[in-house]
Amino acid sequence: MSRLFQPLTIRGTTFAHRTWVSPMCQYSCDPVEAPGVPNDWHLVHLGSFATGGAALVLTEAAAVVPEGRISPQDAGLWNDEQAGAWRRIVDFLHGQGAAAGVQLAHAGRKASTHRPWDERSGSVPVAEGGWPTVGPSAVAFGSYAEPAALDEAGTAGVVRAFADAARRADEAGFDVVEVHAAHGYLLHQFLSPLSNRRTDRYGGDLAGRSRLLLEVVDAVRAVWPQDKPLFVRLSTTDWVEGGWDVDDSVALSRELAAHGVDLVDASSGGNVPDAPIPVGPGYQVPPAGRIKRETGILVGAVGMLLEPAQAEQVLVSGDADAVFLARALLADPRWVQRAAVALHEHGTLAWPPQYVRATRQQVPLVRPRG
């Protein structure tokens, strides 16, 4: 059996294989009639990956408070209406044999922005449906609006909001919670000395800058069932001198493991505009491998993993325990089924019975579900 198609058990959850769906923001909620509520677009978008054979489908970043949304059109999990809408999607994913995960997030100083395809970029004015933003310090991200520095009451509110969202995630039936501490959003902003210039206990050295994330993890782990996995997404480096780097990520990953985190989802960048990121196939795999080898925590690799053989090699080489796919799945929601054929595992991956007829001439060993 290929490594890619071996099952993986974490706590009480067994994933059928190790090809997982990375969070991908869709900016598709109705900000007026149903702010933060996932809708039919999210059902079809996420459901297509489950029918395509993914073992774990992670949602886009779900904001834990309204002001934590990246854009007014972002999804959330700060109220029960949103939890009920997510439940419908979770039930469909489970019906296709996929595990369901939710990424919990707060965008911090990168909140209240226009969608990527809107004519304008940057911050949405308050008069047009935007809101004031917050961060560890009053330091703007590029040309975005300057955030207000969170006081200690504000940091405590962030911790409570993540815990409340995790409780709702359990009620909605999710199998996995991932805390988003990457891509220049609030928890990453606290980690990086480039955005965190505080002099109180949430700033300064690595321990101070890591404090808020560890408090969030502890609060989430306290309400998240012990038999369910907890992931954290990290940007392993800011890609600029003086910023957060891989050494920091290794040290933090040891702490995360001690605080009950089961897997580090190793991404990079996002906290510095126009950082010189050497984007290319597998460019984020080496930091993932370092974290895995030097800490022993489970690691997921992500970033331009485009072909089945490439993804297989990441696991065979010991650089990661699972792979997260994003753009490859947008281009081909049946990437996983294609990978099963390419790696001679087509007899182990069940297709929906509605689609089996499409495989009979090419894949004689496909078995239907059910």
PDB file of all heavy atoms in Angstrom, residues 83-120:
ATOM      1  N   ALA A  83     -23.692  27.511  13.378  1.00  0.00           N
ATOM      2  CA  ALA A  83     -23.437  26.113  13.734  1.00  0.00           C
ATOM      3  C   ALA A  83     -24.449  25.187  13.065  1.00  0.00           C
ATOM      4  O   ALA A  83     -24.095  24.110  12.570  1.00  0.00           O
ATOM      5  CB  ALA A  83     -23.479  25.938  15.248  1.00  0.00           C
ATOM      6  N   GLY A  84     -25.724  25.614  13.029  1.00  0.00           N
ATOM      7  CA  GLY A  84     -26.738  24.795  12.380  1.00  0.00           C
ATOM      8  C   GLY A  84     -26.500  24.645  10.892  1.00  0.00           C
ATOM      9  O   GLY A  84     -26.704  23.565  10.317  1.00  0.00           O
ATOM     10  N   ALA A  85     -26.045  25.708  10.250  1.00  0.00           N
ATOM     11  CA  ALA A  85     -25.745  25.640   8.818  1.00  0.00           C
ATOM     12  C   ALA A  85     -24.544  24.752   8.551  1.00  0.00           C
ATOM     13  O   ALA A  85     -24.515  24.008   7.560  1.00  0.00           O
ATOM     14  CB  ALA A  85     -25.515  27.044   8.267  1.00  0.00           C
ATOM     15  N   TRP A  86     -23.551  24.820   9.418  1.00  0.00           N
ATOM     16  CA  TRP A  86     -22.400  23.932   9.265  1.00  0.00           C
ATOM     17  C   TRP A  86     -22.811  22.475   9.464  1.00  0.00           C
ATOM     18  O   TRP A  86     -22.259  21.573   8.815  1.00  0.00           O
ATOM     19  CB  TRP A  86     -21.292  24.299  10.255  1.00  0.00           C
ATOM     20  CG  TRP A  86     -20.474  25.501   9.909  1.00  0.00           C
ATOM     21  CD1 TRP A  86     -20.309  26.633  10.651  1.00  0.00           C
ATOM     22  CD2 TRP A  86     -19.665  25.690   8.737  1.00  0.00           C
ATOM     23  NE1 TRP A  86     -19.472  27.514  10.020  1.00  0.00           N
ATOM     24  CE2 TRP A  86     -19.058  26.963   8.842  1.00  0.00           C
ATOM     25  CE3 TRP A  86     -19.403  24.911   7.608  1.00  0.00           C
ATOM     26  CZ2 TRP A  86     -18.200  27.470   7.860  1.00  0.00           C
ATOM     27  CZ3 TRP A  86     -18.551  25.414   6.630  1.00  0.00           C
ATOM     28  CH2 TRP A  86     -17.965  26.672   6.773  1.00  0.00           C
ATOM     29  N   ARG A  87     -23.776  22.231  10.347  1.00  0.00           N
ATOM     30  CA  ARG A  87     -24.202  20.857  10.624  1.00  0.00           C
ATOM     31  C   ARG A  87     -24.699  20.180   9.348  1.00  0.00           C
ATOM     32  O   ARG A  87     -24.403  19.000   9.106  1.00  0.00           O
ATOM     33  CB  ARG A  87     -25.310  20.853  11.677  1.00  0.00           C
ATOM     34  CG  ARG A  87     -25.803  19.463  12.032  1.00  0.00           C
ATOM     35  CD  ARG A  87     -24.873  18.820  13.041  1.00  0.00           C
ATOM     36  NE  ARG A  87     -24.835  17.372  12.924  1.00  0.00           N
ATOM     37  CZ  ARG A  87     -24.494  16.566  13.919  1.00  0.00           C
ATOM     38  NH1 ARG A  87     -24.155  17.064  15.091  1.00  0.00           N
ATOM     39  NH2 ARG A  87     -24.458  15.265  13.763  1.00  0.00           N
ATOM     40  N   ARG A  88     -25.452  20.909   8.549  1.00  0.00           N
ATOM     41  CA  ARG A  88     -25.945  20.357   7.283  1.00  0.00           C
ATOM     42  C   ARG A  88     -24.777  19.900   6.397  1.00  0.00           C
ATOM     43  O   ARG A  88     -24.827  18.829   5.785  1.00  0.00           O
ATOM     44  CB  ARG A  88     -26.774  21.423   6.572  1.00  0.00           C
ATOM     45  CG  ARG A  88     -27.242  21.076   5.181  1.00  0.00           C
ATOM     46  CD  ARG A  88     -27.891  22.303   4.553  1.00  0.00           C
ATOM     47  NE  ARG A  88     -28.309  22.063   3.181  1.00  0.00           N
ATOM     48  CZ  ARG A  88     -28.188  22.934   2.194  1.00  0.00           C
ATOM     49  NH1 ARG A  88     -27.644  24.123   2.432  1.00  0.00           N
ATOM     50  NH2 ARG A  88     -28.616  22.655   0.979  1.00  0.00           N
ATOM     51  N   ILE A  89     -23.720  20.702   6.347  1.00  0.00           N
ATOM     52  CA  ILE A  89     -22.562  20.376   5.521  1.00  0.00           C
ATOM     53  C   ILE A  89     -21.800  19.193   6.117  1.00  0.00           C
ATOM     54  O   ILE A  89     -21.382  18.272   5.400  1.00  0.00           O
ATOM     55  CB  ILE A  89     -21.660  21.614   5.375  1.00  0.00           C
ATOM     56  CG1 ILE A  89     -22.418  22.700   4.594  1.00  0.00           C
ATOM     57  CG2 ILE A  89     -20.342  21.265   4.693  1.00  0.00           C
ATOM     58  CD1 ILE A  89     -21.724  24.052   4.592  1.00  0.00           C
ATOM     59  N   VAL A  90     -21.612  19.213   7.432  1.00  0.00           N
ATOM     60  CA  VAL A  90     -20.915  18.113   8.104  1.00  0.00           C
ATOM     61  C   VAL A  90     -21.624  16.790   7.851  1.00  0.00           C
ATOM     62  O   VAL A  90     -20.987  15.766   7.566  1.00  0.00           O
ATOM     63  CB  VAL A  90     -20.808  18.397   9.615  1.00  0.00           C
ATOM     64  CG1 VAL A  90     -20.346  17.151  10.374  1.00  0.00           C
ATOM     65  CG2 VAL A  90     -19.856  19.554   9.875  1.00  0.00           C
ATOM     66  N   ASP A  91     -22.942  16.793   7.935  1.00  0.00           N
ATOM     67  CA  ASP A  91     -23.698  15.556   7.715  1.00  0.00           C
ATOM     68  C   ASP A  91     -23.473  15.024   6.304  1.00  0.00           C
ATOM     69  O   ASP A  91     -23.351  13.808   6.100  1.00  0.00           O
ATOM     70  CB  ASP A  91     -25.189  15.799   7.951  1.00  0.00           C
ATOM     71  CG  ASP A  91     -25.531  15.974   9.424  1.00  0.00           C
ATOM     72  OD1 ASP A  91     -24.674  15.664  10.281  1.00  0.00           O
ATOM     73  OD2 ASP A  91     -26.655  16.432   9.715  1.00  0.00           O
ATOM     74  N   PHE A  92     -23.407  15.919   5.319  1.00  0.00           N
ATOM     75  CA  PHE A  92     -23.162  15.459   3.949  1.00  0.00           C
ATOM     76  C   PHE A  92     -21.761  14.865   3.831  1.00  0.00           C
ATOM     77  O   PHE A  92     -21.562  13.813   3.217  1.00  0.00           O
ATOM     78  CB  PHE A  92     -23.336  16.603   2.948  1.00  0.00           C
ATOM     79  CG  PHE A  92     -23.150  16.149   1.527  1.00  0.00           C
ATOM     80  CD1 PHE A  92     -24.188  15.569   0.830  1.00  0.00           C
ATOM     81  CD2 PHE A  92     -21.910  16.268   0.899  1.00  0.00           C
ATOM     82  CE1 PHE A  92     -24.008  15.110  -0.476  1.00  0.00           C
ATOM     83  CE2 PHE A  92     -21.719  15.821  -0.405  1.00  0.00           C
ATOM     84  CZ  PHE A  92     -22.776  15.238  -1.086  1.00  0.00           C
ATOM     85  N   LEU A  93     -20.767  15.539   4.393  1.00  0.00           N
ATOM     86  CA  LEU A  93     -19.405  15.023   4.335  1.00  0.00           C
ATOM     87  C   LEU A  93     -19.318  13.642   4.956  1.00  0.00           C
ATOM     88  O   LEU A  93     -18.702  12.718   4.394  1.00  0.00           O
ATOM     89  CB  LEU A  93     -18.438  15.988   5.030  1.00  0.00           C
ATOM     90  CG  LEU A  93     -18.353  17.411   4.468  1.00  0.00           C
ATOM     91  CD1 LEU A  93     -17.386  18.240   5.307  1.00  0.00           C
ATOM     92  CD2 LEU A  93     -17.933  17.417   3.011  1.00  0.00           C
ATOM     93  N   HIS A  94     -19.921  13.490   6.127  1.00  0.00           N
ATOM     94  CA  HIS A  94     -19.917  12.181   6.782  1.00  0.00           C
ATOM     95  C   HIS A  94     -20.610  11.131   5.922  1.00  0.00           C
ATOM     96  O   HIS A  94     -20.165   9.972   5.866  1.00  0.00           O
ATOM     97  CB  HIS A  94     -20.607  12.283   8.139  1.00  0.00           C
ATOM     98  CG  HIS A  94     -19.787  12.960   9.178  1.00  0.00           C
ATOM     99  ND1 HIS A  94     -20.326  13.457  10.343  1.00  0.00           N
ATOM    100  CD2 HIS A  94     -18.454  13.240   9.236  1.00  0.00           C
ATOM    101  CE1 HIS A  94     -19.379  13.993  11.079  1.00  0.00           C
ATOM    102  NE2 HIS A  94     -18.225  13.886  10.424  1.00  0.00           N
ATOM    103  N   GLY A  95     -21.668  11.524   5.239  1.00  0.00           N
ATOM    104  CA  GLY A  95     -22.393  10.589   4.393  1.00  0.00           C
ATOM    105  C   GLY A  95     -21.572  10.072   3.231  1.00  0.00           C
ATOM    106  O   GLY A  95     -21.878   9.006   2.668  1.00  0.00           O
ATOM    107  N   GLN A  96     -20.521  10.811   2.869  1.00  0.00           N
ATOM    108  CA  GLN A  96     -19.628  10.388   1.786  1.00  0.00           C
ATOM    109  C   GLN A  96     -18.373   9.699   2.307  1.00  0.00           C
ATOM    110  O   GLN A  96     -17.453   9.417   1.547  1.00  0.00           O
ATOM    111  CB  GLN A  96     -19.243  11.599   0.928  1.00  0.00           C
ATOM    112  CG  GLN A  96     -20.414  12.327   0.328  1.00  0.00           C
ATOM    113  CD  GLN A  96     -21.327  11.402  -0.463  1.00  0.00           C
ATOM    114  OE1 GLN A  96     -20.861  10.667  -1.340  1.00  0.00           O
ATOM    115  NE2 GLN A  96     -22.615  11.427  -0.162  1.00  0.00           N
ATOM    116  N   GLY A  97     -18.321   9.474   3.612  1.00  0.00           N
ATOM    117  CA  GLY A  97     -17.181   8.773   4.188  1.00  0.00           C
ATOM    118  C   GLY A  97     -16.011   9.646   4.571  1.00  0.00           C
ATOM    119  O   GLY A  97     -14.946   9.129   4.929  1.00  0.00           O
ATOM    120  N   ALA A  98     -16.171  10.961   4.505  1.00  0.00           N
ATOM    121  CA  ALA A  98     -15.083  11.881   4.845  1.00  0.00           C
ATOM    122  C   ALA A  98     -15.221  12.379   6.278  1.00  0.00           C
ATOM    123  O   ALA A  98     -16.342  12.553   6.784  1.00  0.00           O
ATOM    124  CB  ALA A  98     -15.070  13.069   3.894  1.00  0.00           C
ATOM    125  N   ALA A  99     -14.100  12.605   6.933  1.00  0.00           N
ATOM    126  CA  ALA A  99     -14.101  13.322   8.198  1.00  0.00           C
ATOM    127  C   ALA A  99     -14.248  14.818   7.909  1.00  0.00           C
ATOM    128  O   ALA A  99     -13.853  15.304   6.844  1.00  0.00           O
ATOM    129  CB  ALA A  99     -12.819  13.053   8.972  1.00  0.00           C
ATOM    130  N   ALA A 100     -14.807  15.540   8.873  1.00  0.00           N
ATOM    131  CA  ALA A 100     -15.065  16.970   8.698  1.00  0.00           C
ATOM    132  C   ALA A 100     -14.300  17.766   9.743  1.00  0.00           C
ATOM    133  O   ALA A 100     -14.361  17.462  10.938  1.00  0.00           O
ATOM    134  CB  ALA A 100     -16.556  17.262   8.824  1.00  0.00           C
ATOM    135  N   GLY A 101     -13.571  18.773   9.275  1.00  0.00           N
ATOM    136  CA  GLY A 101     -12.833  19.645  10.186  1.00  0.00           C
ATOM    137  C   GLY A 101     -13.174  21.096   9.943  1.00  0.00           C
ATOM    138  O   GLY A 101     -13.542  21.482   8.837  1.00  0.00           O
ATOM    139  N   VAL A 102     -13.041  21.912  10.978  1.00  0.00           N
ATOM    140  CA  VAL A 102     -13.286  23.347  10.852  1.00  0.00           C
ATOM    141  C   VAL A 102     -12.045  24.095  11.314  1.00  0.00           C
ATOM    142  O   VAL A 102     -11.428  23.749  12.322  1.00  0.00           O
ATOM    143  CB  VAL A 102     -14.523  23.785  11.671  1.00  0.00           C
ATOM    144  CG1 VAL A 102     -14.362  23.507  13.158  1.00  0.00           C
ATOM    145  CG2 VAL A 102     -14.845  25.264  11.430  1.00  0.00           C
ATOM    146  N   GLN A 103     -11.671  25.109  10.552  1.00  0.00           N
ATOM    147  CA  GLN A 103     -10.564  25.977  10.941  1.00  0.00           C
ATOM    148  C   GLN A 103     -11.135  27.206  11.637  1.00  0.00           C
ATOM    149  O   GLN A 103     -11.940  27.947  11.057  1.00  0.00           O
ATOM    150  CB  GLN A 103      -9.753  26.410   9.721  1.00  0.00           C
ATOM    151  CG  GLN A 103      -8.505  27.197  10.093  1.00  0.00           C
ATOM    152  CD  GLN A 103      -7.765  27.737   8.878  1.00  0.00           C
ATOM    153  OE1 GLN A 103      -8.279  28.604   8.183  1.00  0.00           O
ATOM    154  NE2 GLN A 103      -6.564  27.229   8.631  1.00  0.00           N
ATOM    155  N   LEU A 104     -10.748  27.424  12.878  1.00  0.00           N
ATOM    156  CA  LEU A 104     -11.208  28.569  13.658  1.00  0.00           C
ATOM    157  C   LEU A 104     -10.174  29.680  13.568  1.00  0.00           C
ATOM    158  O   LEU A 104      -8.964  29.434  13.703  1.00  0.00           O
ATOM    159  CB  LEU A 104     -11.428  28.168  15.112  1.00  0.00           C
ATOM    160  CG  LEU A 104     -12.427  27.031  15.345  1.00  0.00           C
ATOM    161  CD1 LEU A 104     -12.551  26.737  16.837  1.00  0.00           C
ATOM    162  CD2 LEU A 104     -13.786  27.357  14.735  1.00  0.00           C
ATOM    163  N   ALA A 105     -10.658  30.924  13.352  1.00  0.00           N
ATOM    164  CA  ALA A 105      -9.712  31.987  13.015  1.00  0.00           C
ATOM    165  C   ALA A 105     -10.176  33.349  13.505  1.00  0.00           C
ATOM    166  O   ALA A 105     -11.369  33.580  13.748  1.00  0.00           O
ATOM    167  CB  ALA A 105      -9.512  32.037  11.501  1.00  0.00           C
ATOM    168  N   HIS A 106      -9.208  34.239  13.618  1.00  0.00           N
ATOM    169  CA  HIS A 106      -9.431  35.670  13.838  1.00  0.00           C
ATOM    170  C   HIS A 106      -8.415  36.391  12.975  1.00  0.00           C
ATOM    171  O   HIS A 106      -7.207  36.164  13.105  1.00  0.00           O
ATOM    172  CB  HIS A 106      -9.246  36.024  15.309  1.00  0.00           C
ATOM    173  CG  HIS A 106      -9.695  37.413  15.674  1.00  0.00           C
ATOM    174  ND1 HIS A 106      -9.264  38.553  15.003  1.00  0.00           N
ATOM    175  CD2 HIS A 106     -10.551  37.850  16.638  1.00  0.00           C
ATOM    176  CE1 HIS A 106      -9.817  39.618  15.552  1.00  0.00           C
ATOM    177  NE2 HIS A 106     -10.607  39.221  16.551  1.00  0.00           N
ATOM    178  N   ALA A 107      -8.875  37.258  12.081  1.00  0.00           N
ATOM    179  CA  ALA A 107      -7.979  37.893  11.114  1.00  0.00           C
ATOM    180  C   ALA A 107      -7.182  39.050  11.689  1.00  0.00           C
ATOM    181  O   ALA A 107      -6.212  39.504  11.063  1.00  0.00           O
ATOM    182  CB  ALA A 107      -8.773  38.362   9.898  1.00  0.00           C
ATOM    183  N   GLY A 108      -7.556  39.583  12.852  1.00  0.00           N
ATOM    184  CA  GLY A 108      -6.779  40.659  13.456  1.00  0.00           C
ATOM    185  C   GLY A 108      -6.660  41.869  12.548  1.00  0.00           C
ATOM    186  O   GLY A 108      -7.652  42.377  12.008  1.00  0.00           O
ATOM    187  N   ARG A 109      -5.431  42.338  12.328  1.00  0.00           N
ATOM    188  CA  ARG A 109      -5.215  43.557  11.544  1.00  0.00           C
ATOM    189  C   ARG A 109      -5.493  43.348  10.054  1.00  0.00           C
ATOM    190  O   ARG A 109      -5.544  44.315   9.292  1.00  0.00           O
ATOM    191  CB  ARG A 109      -3.784  44.070  11.740  1.00  0.00           C
ATOM    192  CG  ARG A 109      -2.689  43.160  11.182  1.00  0.00           C
ATOM    193  CD  ARG A 109      -1.309  43.764  11.368  1.00  0.00           C
ATOM    194  NE  ARG A 109      -0.266  42.942  10.741  1.00  0.00           N
ATOM    195  CZ  ARG A 109       0.968  43.363  10.508  1.00  0.00           C
ATOM    196  NH1 ARG A 109       1.322  44.602  10.843  1.00  0.00           N
ATOM    197  NH2 ARG A 109       1.859  42.560   9.945  1.00  0.00           N
ATOM    198  N   LYS A 110      -5.652  42.085   9.619  1.00  0.00           N
ATOM    199  CA  LYS A 110      -5.961  41.788   8.217  1.00  0.00           C
ATOM    200  C   LYS A 110      -7.453  41.532   8.010  1.00  0.00           C
ATOM    201  O   LYS A 110      -7.856  40.976   6.995  1.00  0.00           O
ATOM    202  CB  LYS A 110      -5.143  40.596   7.735  1.00  0.00           C
ATOM    203  CG  LYS A 110      -3.649  40.886   7.613  1.00  0.00           C
ATOM    204  CD  LYS A 110      -2.848  39.669   7.175  1.00  0.00           C
ATOM    205  CE  LYS A 110      -3.055  39.335   5.726  1.00  0.00           C
ATOM    206  NZ  LYS A 110      -2.159  38.218   5.274  1.00  0.00           N
ATOM    207  N   ALA A 111      -8.271  41.956   8.955  1.00  0.00           N
ATOM    208  CA  ALA A 111      -9.727  41.810   8.839  1.00  0.00           C
ATOM    209  C   ALA A 111     -10.321  42.987   8.061  1.00  0.00           C
ATOM    210  O   ALA A 111      -9.629  43.950   7.724  1.00  0.00           O
ATOM    211  CB  ALA A 111     -10.357  41.723  10.222  1.00  0.00           C
ATOM    212  N   SER A 112     -11.629  42.873   7.781  1.00  0.00           N
ATOM    213  CA  SER A 112     -12.391  43.951   7.155  1.00  0.00           C
ATOM    214  C   SER A 112     -11.781  44.398   5.824  1.00  0.00           C
ATOM    215  O   SER A 112     -11.596  45.587   5.566  1.00  0.00           O
ATOM    216  CB  SER A 112     -12.506  45.152   8.114  1.00  0.00           C
ATOM    217  OG  SER A 112     -13.372  46.141   7.576  1.00  0.00           O
ATOM    218  N   THR A 113     -11.475  43.426   4.971  1.00  0.00           N
ATOM    219  CA  THR A 113     -10.885  43.740   3.667  1.00  0.00           C
ATOM    220  C   THR A 113     -11.829  43.342   2.534  1.00  0.00           C
ATOM    221  O   THR A 113     -12.740  42.537   2.710  1.00  0.00           O
ATOM    222  CB  THR A 113      -9.549  43.006   3.474  1.00  0.00           C
ATOM    223  OG1 THR A 113      -9.772  41.595   3.535  1.00  0.00           O
ATOM    224  CG2 THR A 113      -8.558  43.405   4.551  1.00  0.00           C
ATOM    225  N   HIS A 114     -11.582  43.912   1.375  1.00  0.00           N
ATOM    226  CA  HIS A 114     -12.351  43.549   0.183  1.00  0.00           C
ATOM    227  C   HIS A 114     -11.980  42.140  -0.265  1.00  0.00           C
ATOM    228  O   HIS A 114     -10.852  41.680  -0.055  1.00  0.00           O
ATOM    229  CB  HIS A 114     -12.077  44.539  -0.950  1.00  0.00           C
ATOM    230  CG  HIS A 114     -12.587  45.915  -0.699  1.00  0.00           C
ATOM    231  ND1 HIS A 114     -13.906  46.272  -0.867  1.00  0.00           N
ATOM    232  CD2 HIS A 114     -11.940  47.051  -0.274  1.00  0.00           C
ATOM    233  CE1 HIS A 114     -14.062  47.555  -0.582  1.00  0.00           C
ATOM    234  NE2 HIS A 114     -12.895  48.055  -0.210  1.00  0.00           N
ATOM    235  N   ARG A 115     -12.924  41.462  -0.912  1.00  0.00           N
ATOM    236  CA  ARG A 115     -12.634  40.146  -1.469  1.00  0.00           C
ATOM    237  C   ARG A 115     -11.579  40.249  -2.568  1.00  0.00           C
ATOM    238  O   ARG A 115     -11.451  41.295  -3.221  1.00  0.00           O
ATOM    239  CB  ARG A 115     -13.913  39.529  -2.042  1.00  0.00           C
ATOM    240  CG  ARG A 115     -14.964  39.243  -1.005  1.00  0.00           C
ATOM    241  CD  ARG A 115     -16.191  38.617  -1.615  1.00  0.00           C
ATOM    242  NE  ARG A 115     -16.891  39.530  -2.507  1.00  0.00           N
ATOM    243  CZ  ARG A 115     -18.039  39.245  -3.114  1.00  0.00           C
ATOM    244  NH1 ARG A 115     -18.608  38.052  -2.933  1.00  0.00           N
ATOM    245  NH2 ARG A 115     -18.613  40.133  -3.903  1.00  0.00           N
ATOM    246  N   PRO A 116     -10.841  39.184  -2.801  1.00  0.00           N
ATOM    247  CA  PRO A 116      -9.745  39.253  -3.783  1.00  0.00           C
ATOM    248  C   PRO A 116     -10.182  39.678  -5.174  1.00  0.00           C
ATOM    249  O   PRO A 116      -9.408  40.301  -5.905  1.00  0.00           O
ATOM    250  CB  PRO A 116      -9.193  37.819  -3.786  1.00  0.00           C
ATOM    251  CG  PRO A 116      -9.554  37.268  -2.463  1.00  0.00           C
ATOM    252  CD  PRO A 116     -10.874  37.885  -2.108  1.00  0.00           C
ATOM    253  N   TRP A 117     -11.407  39.327  -5.564  1.00  0.00           N
ATOM    254  CA  TRP A 117     -11.840  39.643  -6.933  1.00  0.00           C
ATOM    255  C   TRP A 117     -12.621  40.956  -7.026  1.00  0.00           C
ATOM    256  O   TRP A 117     -13.090  41.325  -8.099  1.00  0.00           O
ATOM    257  CB  TRP A 117     -12.666  38.499  -7.513  1.00  0.00           C
ATOM    258  CG  TRP A 117     -13.899  38.152  -6.725  1.00  0.00           C
ATOM    259  CD1 TRP A 117     -15.110  38.773  -6.777  1.00  0.00           C
ATOM    260  CD2 TRP A 117     -14.034  37.088  -5.781  1.00  0.00           C
ATOM    261  NE1 TRP A 117     -15.995  38.168  -5.914  1.00  0.00           N
ATOM    262  CE2 TRP A 117     -15.358  37.128  -5.307  1.00  0.00           C
ATOM    263  CE3 TRP A 117     -13.169  36.101  -5.298  1.00  0.00           C
ATOM    264  CZ2 TRP A 117     -15.838  36.214  -4.355  1.00  0.00           C
ATOM    265  CZ3 TRP A 117     -13.652  35.205  -4.359  1.00  0.00           C
ATOM    266  CH2 TRP A 117     -14.961  35.256  -3.899  1.00  0.00           C
ATOM    267  N   ASP A 118     -12.789  41.675  -5.905  1.00  0.00           N
ATOM    268  CA  ASP A 118     -13.457  42.972  -5.967  1.00  0.00           C
ATOM    269  C   ASP A 118     -12.574  43.991  -6.682  1.00  0.00           C
ATOM    270  O   ASP A 118     -11.346  43.838  -6.750  1.00  0.00           O
ATOM    271  CB  ASP A 118     -13.780  43.481  -4.560  1.00  0.00           C
ATOM    272  CG  ASP A 118     -14.933  42.715  -3.929  1.00  0.00           C
ATOM    273  OD1 ASP A 118     -15.653  42.007  -4.670  1.00  0.00           O
ATOM    274  OD2 ASP A 118     -15.120  42.828  -2.700  1.00  0.00           O
ATOM    275  N   GLU A 119     -13.202  45.029  -7.198  1.00  0.00           N
ATOM    276  CA  GLU A 119     -12.446  46.048  -7.926  1.00  0.00           C
ATOM    277  C   GLU A 119     -11.478  46.792  -7.020  1.00  0.00           C
ATOM    278  O   GLU A 119     -10.425  47.243  -7.466  1.00  0.00           O
ATOM    279  CB  GLU A 119     -13.419  47.036  -8.584  1.00  0.00           C
ATOM    280  CG  GLU A 119     -14.243  46.425  -9.716  1.00  0.00           C
ATOM    281  CD  GLU A 119     -15.156  47.450 -10.360  1.00  0.00           C
ATOM    282  OE1 GLU A 119     -15.165  48.609  -9.896  1.00  0.00           O
ATOM    283  OE2 GLU A 119     -15.870  47.083 -11.315  1.00  0.00           O
ATOM    284  N   ARG A 120     -11.833  46.938  -5.763  1.00  0.00           N
ATOM    285  CA  ARG A 120     -10.944  47.620  -4.826  1.00  0.00           C
ATOM    286  C   ARG A 120     -10.258  46.603  -3.927  1.00  0.00           C
ATOM    287  O   ARG A 120     -10.767  45.506  -3.698  1.00  0.00           O
ATOM    288  CB  ARG A 120     -11.735  48.609  -3.971  1.00  0.00           C
ATOM    289  CG  ARG A 120     -12.226  49.820  -4.750  1.00  0.00           C
ATOM    290  CD  ARG A 120     -12.949  50.782  -3.840  1.00  0.00           C
ATOM    291  NE  ARG A 120     -14.218  50.226  -3.371  1.00  0.00           N
ATOM    292  CZ  ARG A 120     -14.986  50.787  -2.438  1.00  0.00           C
ATOM    293  NH1 ARG A 120     -14.593  51.918  -1.869  1.00  0.00           N
ATOM    294  NH2 ARG A 120     -16.126  50.237  -2.098  1.00  0.00           N
TER     295      ARG A 120
END
